Amino acid sequence: MMATLASPSSSCEPTTRIVDAGSAVKKAHYSPVVSLIAGGVAGAVEATATYPFEYAKTRLQLERKTVGSSANPLTMLLHTTRNDGFRSIYTGCSTLILGTTFKAAVRFLSFDSIRNTLADETGRLTPGRGILAGMIAGCAESVVAVTPTERIKTALIDDANSAVRRYHGGIHATRTIIREAGISEIYRGLVSTTLKQSATSAARMGSYNVLKDLCEQSNIPRNSAVTFATGAVAGVITVYVTQPFDTIKTKSQSARGASTIEACRMVFSESGIRGFWRGSSMRLARLVFSGGIVFTVYEKVALFLTR
């Protein structure tokens, strides 16, 4: 009898491991509330820590290329800080932080929901499905959060660089723009922003999930350092794939404004084909840093909320 009991006990060990593995996969499928909160917190931390990079990138994309003008983002940041004070490089920051908190929450909520639908029985996504999930999430966050906040942020930075300032903060800028041109003006650049955001989210979320799966298959321990490095590499890939969309979006949403086609013509006439990658060094610095931050914070907050 004891031998009989021992045999089932022995044969149950592999089954127990399979159940545990399945539980681990299920834990990775966060609930919508967890995805929303963790994504929002990650977005707020990311935006606050990396805003100076975003400021420098936007300023470079908005400035016309002239003789004697510096294309070095660090020189521009130092020059701005020296002339206008340290707070000047955080112009439009509050708008972006609120927007990034909202858009990151929408992005992770959308991506996790789509991933749960498209994942196979082991909880994994194929590279193609990961890119598709990221693209859909990017479209959702563009319409819900990114386009309005990017429009206000870009207008504030562009206005701060003009001789006569019209706006006195994010709320004042929003009211002024709506009063003068209607609510649709807040959504100026929707097409270019959606193209940029869907491509960015597809590249970022898709590459992160591929790299994350490779780490798991290679038995690399899943800790904060590995998560940060994985997110940083995903950021590098994202920048060079999507930079032209970002440059066109910035031109479209400047204070004077332009359609997507007009923005393309302006960039090409002013700087040639290389102009579409103008500001990529600052965006690279920001996305490498932010990629590491946002995924690390997201995983930690989600893990804390599911304990």
Side-chain angles (χ1 to χ4, degrees):
M1 174 67 79
M2 289 183 66
T4 304
L5 290 172
S7 178
S9 174
S10 174
S11 64
C12 281
E13 287 181 4
T15 305
T16 303
R17 292 192 189 100
I18 291 172
V19 170
D20 289 341
S23 299
V25 170
K26 288 180 182 177
K27 285 181 182 179
H29 289 178
Y30 302 124
S31 71
V33 174
V34 169
S35 297
L36 193 69
I37 295 173
V41 173
V45 174
E46 171 205 358
T48 305
T50 64
Y51 190 76
F53 298 116
E54 176 68 16
Y55 176 87
K57 185 256 326 176
T58 303
R59 277 285 303 273
L60 284 174
Q61 289 175 335
L62 290 172
E63 289 182 352
R64 288 178 176 270
K65 192 173 182 181
T66 58
V67 178
S69 64
S70 175
N72 187 315
L74 293 178
T75 301
M76 190 273 293
L77 280 176
L78 289 173
H79 178 76
T80 303
T81 304
R82 191 181 303 116
N83 291 342
D84 304 316
F86 180 77
R87 291 182 62 182
S88 63
I89 63 174
Y90 274 88
T91 301
C93 179
S94 58
T95 301
L96 188 72
I97 290 175
L98 290 173
T100 302
T101 301
F102 192 27
K103 78 176 184 181
V106 173
R107 178 197 309 148
F108 280 103
L109 172 62
S110 303
F111 183 82
D112 285 344
S113 299
I114 298 164
R115 179 179 63 183
N116 293 346
T117 302
L118 298 178
D120 60 21
E121 61 277 3
T122 65
R124 296 183 186 277
L125 281 177
T126 64
R129 288 185 176 186
I131 291 172
L132 176 62
M135 189 176 296
I136 296 172
C139 289
E141 67 177 303
S142 175
V143 174
V144 173
V146 179
T147 301
T149 55
E150 285 286 317
R151 170 70 178 99
I152 301 303
K153 179 214 71 176
T154 303
L156 284 171
I157 293 176
D158 197 18
D159 181 64
N161 195 37
S162 62
V164 180
R165 298 189 63 169
R166 301 181 61 236
Y167 307 134
H168 308 295
I171 296 175
H172 180 256
T174 303
R175 288 175 178 170
T176 303
I177 291 171
I178 293 175
R179 184 176 65 251
E180 294 178 352
I183 191 69
S184 61
E185 183 64 14
I186 297 296
Y187 277 88
R188 188 212 293 170
L190 176 62
V191 174
S192 57
T193 303
T194 302
L195 285 172
K196 175 249 181 180
Q197 208 61 36
S198 58
T200 296
S201 189
R204 197 179 198 184
M205 305 297 280
S207 58
Y208 175 77
N209 273 273
V210 169
L211 293 169
K212 184 179 175 182
D213 286 345
L214 286 175
C215 289
E216 290 177 357
Q217 291 168 12
S218 302
N219 294 320
I220 297 174
R222 189 177 171 184
N223 53 41
S224 297
V226 172
T227 302
F228 190 97
T230 303
V233 173
V236 174
I237 295 170
T238 302
V239 168
Y240 289 107
V241 170
T242 66
Q243 184 62 28
F245 296 117
D246 186 73
T247 302
I248 294 167
K249 182 270 303 178
T250 300
K251 279 290 186 184
S252 296
Q253 295 183 325
S254 63
R256 57 178 174 158
S259 68
T260 301
I261 295 175
E262 287 172 343
C264 290
R265 289 173 180 168
M266 288 167 61
V267 172
F268 187 76
S269 63
E270 291 171 11
S271 307
I273 194 69
R274 292 181 63 182
F276 289 98
W277 276 267
R278 190 176 175 90
S280 59
S281 59
M282 275 293 98
R283 188 167 177 245
L284 178 63
R286 185 178 71 83
L287 279 188
V288 167
F289 192 31
S290 71
I293 291 173
V294 74
F295 287 112
T296 302
V297 174
Y298 175 78
E299 298 284 358
K300 290 295 183 183
V301 173
L303 184 62
F304 174 79
L305 293 174
T306 52
R307 280 178 178 175

